[in-house]
Amino acid sequence: MLLEEEFREGEAKKDAKKQGFFSLFGGSNDEGDVGRDGERMDKEGSGSFSRLFSGDDEKEETPADKAQSDLSFMVESLYPKSTRKEEETPDKRQVDTFVNDIVAPTRAFVPSGNPISVPGGWVIRGKNECSSGAELIEKLDKKISNDSRLNGKISFFLLKDPFPNPEEQMLDPSNWPEVIFVAGPDVCRDPAPILRTAISGLGIATAWYGSIYPFLANSKLFDRATEAMELSDAGMQVDLSWLSDMSIPLFLSFMGVQVIHDVAHRVVAGSRNIDVTIPTLVPSILSGITNSITSLRSSPKNKQDLLDFAVAGPLAGMIGSIALLAVGLVLTTSADASAYQSFPGLPLLLLRQSSLGGGLIDIFLGNGVLNVPM
């Protein structure tokens, strides 16, 4: 009996040690029911709960480890895994070559420590000695273009340091520290040409549907098409080529706006040395085509180049749309009564959604024309 009591006391002490922090709240030695992070803490000793409630016997995180952990978190947050492409991460030798043979000779950036490994690349902390980030990138680009060891094998970016030294930041709050992020040569999404081609094909199909629909919104044309379909059901030969002939100009107008949009993107991309993909047409059941997407194959040199590229397409497309709307309104005002019978129609609700388009309609057709009750 004495040996059995001693054995039970020993087991009770072990259980008390296992309970740890959660024993303060009446917990037991069973696995904690605190969600998936709690499960990872119980089973693997990792995860959010493990970091918050780690025991005294675990190794404390050093400042260097914390800095690397913070930077890794930053990179994972800013750069999706599809663009980090960790399998193409430069090795330590390449990064050292970049620092010693590219950065150091230009004296454009003074590193304050060794490169820090992060998911998908390396972070180099230091001070930008140039008057602007664009000047720094230009100097490093010029230097690296003549180095066969690194040209086309790495890419680099100047970023604001998300975790600067607090003491240094207090000395000069207006001058936020910057870091150089070194990654592999390709940081863009995979083009997925088959998927993009299929989406564009569907976009062309919906654009054709969007060109026919406005004519079917005309009650007289709709009745004519309905009669033709009834004849077809009866086994008679039907000719709907008249509907296609009417819709072709509208279809070409749709596609023309998209061409203007994408040409503007490519012109600006070419002037900024940005490599881009073939545009992908985004289908829409309501309007035929929502828009088109032109993805980047290479990174812009700075944010201004990226902004210029992004704005050029929509701005040019909007100007083209306004011009086409103006031409259509002029044709509407100059048409005779018989021509009105074959004009396409659109719901007033759709026309009222655009203040700019509605304003143009009021200018050409008369103020208040869109206020007619539906």
Side-chain angles (χ1 to χ4, degrees):
M1 293 296 294
L2 182 60
L3 291 176
E4 183 177 350
E5 290 177 359
E6 290 178 352
F7 175 79
R8 289 179 178 176
E9 289 177 0
E11 290 297 312
K13 291 180 180 179
K14 290 181 181 179
D15 290 342
K17 289 182 179 180
K18 288 182 180 179
Q19 289 175 12
F21 180 88
F22 291 105
S23 66
L24 297 176
F25 303 96
S28 67
N29 60 339
D30 295 330
E31 292 185 357
D33 185 16
V34 288
R36 296 188 180 278
D37 277 327
E39 292 177 11
R40 285 198 293 270
M41 179 196 70
D42 290 330
K43 296 179 180 179
E44 304 173 7
S46 62
S48 302
F49 282 86
S50 173
R51 292 193 293 269
L52 290 173
F53 307 125
S54 58
D56 295 336
D57 56 336
E58 294 186 8
K59 181 180 178 181
E60 293 186 3
E61 191 176 35
T62 65
D65 292 337
K66 185 178 185 306
Q68 183 168 0
S69 176
D70 289 342
L71 287 174
S72 297
F73 175 76
M74 178 270 294
V75 171
E76 290 175 342
S77 300
L78 293 180
Y79 298 94
K81 191 171 183 179
S82 59
T83 63
R84 290 201 306 269
K85 299 184 179 178
E86 298 180 14
E87 68 278 2
E88 299 180 8
T89 301
D91 56 34
K92 185 66 164 58
R93 179 182 56 82
Q94 289 177 308
V95 177
D96 289 339
T97 301
F98 174 74
V99 173
N100 298 325
D101 297 346
I102 303 297
V103 176
T106 61
R107 298 181 180 178
F109 188 88
V110 180
S112 59
N114 295 324
I116 303 173
S117 176
V118 296
W122 301 77
V123 168
I124 304 172
R125 280 196 164 105
K127 183 180 180 182
N128 181 9
E129 296 292 345
C130 298
S131 58
S132 66
E135 181 184 350
L136 169 65
I137 296 297
E138 184 178 355
K139 287 184 176 181
L140 296 182
D141 267 342
K142 185 176 181 180
K143 185 73 176 176
I144 205 172
S145 63
N146 298 320
D147 193 316
S148 59
R149 297 170 298 175
L150 298 178
N151 189 22
K153 296 180 175 63
I154 68 169
S155 56
F156 56 92
F157 308 88
L158 186 67
L159 311 172
K160 296 291 185 183
D161 192 341
F163 302 103
N165 187 315
E167 296 179 359
E168 296 179 359
Q169 189 62 26
M170 289 179 62
L171 295 176
D172 190 5
S174 62
N175 187 18
W176 195 276
E178 296 173 315
V179 299
I180 294 179
F181 175 51
V182 183
D186 183 12
V187 294
C188 299
R189 292 181 183 273
D190 292 328
I194 297 177
L195 177 61
R196 287 175 176 267
T197 301
I199 293 175
S200 293
L202 182 60
I204 294 174
T206 55
W208 179 250
Y209 155 81
S211 302
I212 294 177
Y213 165 75
F215 290 95
L216 295 178
N218 182 322
S219 59
K220 295 188 180 319
L221 297 179
F222 179 78
D223 291 341
R224 182 179 173 185
T226 301
E227 291 174 1
M229 296 306 297
E230 290 175 351
L231 293 175
S232 175
D233 292 340
M236 301 179 63
Q237 187 174 1
V238 177
D239 182 15
L240 289 175
S241 59
W242 58 269
L243 184 59
S244 297
D245 294 340
M246 286 182 176
S247 61
I248 285 176
L250 194 55
F251 174 76
L252 294 178
S253 298
F254 273 143
M255 302 309 296
V257 171
Q258 295 303 319
V259 169
I260 293 172
H261 174 275
D262 291 305
V263 166
H265 273 314
R266 299 192 82 85
V267 168
V268 174
S271 66
R272 305 297 195 277
N273 293 321
I274 304 173
D275 190 17
V276 296
T277 63
I278 296 174
T280 302
L281 301 177
V282 180
S284 170
I285 298 299
L286 180 62
S287 61
I289 292 180
T290 301
N291 62 0
S292 59
I293 298 176
T294 303
S295 302
L296 302 178
R297 281 180 174 164
S298 64
S299 300
K301 300 299 180 186
N302 50 60
K303 290 184 287 187
Q304 186 61 51
D305 287 354
L306 178 60
L307 177 63
D308 293 343
F309 167 78
V311 170
L315 183 60
M318 183 175 66
I319 294 174
S321 298
I322 293 173
L324 285 173
L325 177 59
V327 170
L329 291 173
V330 169
L331 294 176
T332 300
T333 56
S334 60
D336 55 27
S338 61
Y340 277 118
Q341 304 299 319
S342 60
F343 271 20
L346 286 175
L348 287 177
L349 179 63
L350 181 63
L351 296 175
R352 290 170 181 170
Q353 290 180 351
S354 172
S355 299
L356 178 60
L360 288 174
I361 293 173
D362 284 339
I363 291 173
F364 283 92
L365 302 184
N367 189 21
V369 68
L370 295 180
N371 295 328
V372 177
M374 291 187 293

